[in-house]
Amino acid sequence: MTNRIVLSLALCITFTANSYAQKVMTFQDAEKQGKSFQHLDSLYKSAVSSDIKLAVFKTKKQQENLQKAYVLFIQSLASYLKANHFTWDKQVRCFNRIYFDKNGKVDYFLYNFPKNEITTEKEKEFARLLGLFVKDHKLTLTANEGFAQCSPIKYAD
């Protein structure tokens, strides 16, 4: 009986850890898992759009609040990486597309570093820390539905 409980607990922990890992991935890995940005874009509306009917945040005030919340979210990520002794060693470019639920929690965080921008080891550590970050952090903004926001980012120490 005890072995079954331990096994069940171990499986539960494994599945929970894997569910967070699947939230954070490169665009290429998302494609391999059937979670391409095109597929996710069909499930989540854009946070902002030139066609106001297609945007989640329609008014100028809502868009300003989104911008502030998004910048704070990315700054919090940078602080989290630094607090966990992650260093970039140089300025690093990245592009991301983040899919949030209506409460601001990250459903998917897709990212892409240009080829040879960082080492494989550094990217693995970034993905690990990012997975932990999105588990406990969310956007300080809510909406009536899930939404997506993308941006280029320049990371630096």
Side-chain angles (χ1 to χ4, degrees), residues 11-141:
L11 288 173
C12 181
I13 291 168
T14 300
F15 289 135
T16 302
N18 285 341
S19 69
Y20 291 119
Q22 291 177 349
K23 289 181 163 199
V24 171
M25 61 192 109
T26 65
F27 281 84
Q28 296 80 8
D29 287 342
E31 181 85 32
K32 291 174 191 171
Q33 293 183 24
K35 303 286 184 188
S36 69
F37 76 91
Q38 296 94 334
H39 171 71
L40 293 172
D41 283 355
S42 72
L43 305 175
Y44 296 80
K45 285 175 82 172
S46 279
V48 295
S49 175
S50 57
D51 183 348
I52 206 72
K53 295 174 193 168
L54 301 176
V56 171
F57 300 99
K58 299 179 186 319
T59 69
K60 183 174 179 165
K61 183 66 175 167
Q62 288 175 329
Q63 292 172 4
E64 287 171 359
N65 289 340
L66 169 68
Q67 182 178 8
K68 288 175 188 173
Y70 187 73
V71 167
L72 181 61
F73 181 80
I74 297 299
Q75 288 173 338
S76 295
L77 170 59
S79 295
Y80 181 84
L81 292 171
K82 184 177 181 179
N84 284 278
H85 312 290
F86 184 89
T87 58
W88 294 102
D89 304 324
K90 64 176 184 169
Q91 185 172 313
V92 173
R93 295 173 297 132
C94 184
F95 183 81
N96 64 49
R97 185 146 181 88
I98 309 171
Y99 298 88
F100 297 96
D101 73 11
K102 64 182 183 177
N103 297 313
K105 187 163 173 43
V106 174
D107 282 341
Y108 297 94
F109 192 120
L110 307 186
Y111 65 90
N112 187 56
F113 293 102
K115 187 174 182 169
N116 299 320
E117 187 74 3
I118 62 174
T119 65
T120 303
E121 295 80 20
K122 192 165 287 285
E123 186 170 348
K124 284 181 183 176
E125 181 63 2
F126 170 79
R128 184 185 75 78
L129 290 171
L130 180 57
L132 293 170
F133 175 82
V134 301
K135 180 176 134 181
D136 296 325
H137 294 80
K138 64 180 193 171
L139 200 66
T140 58
L141 188 70

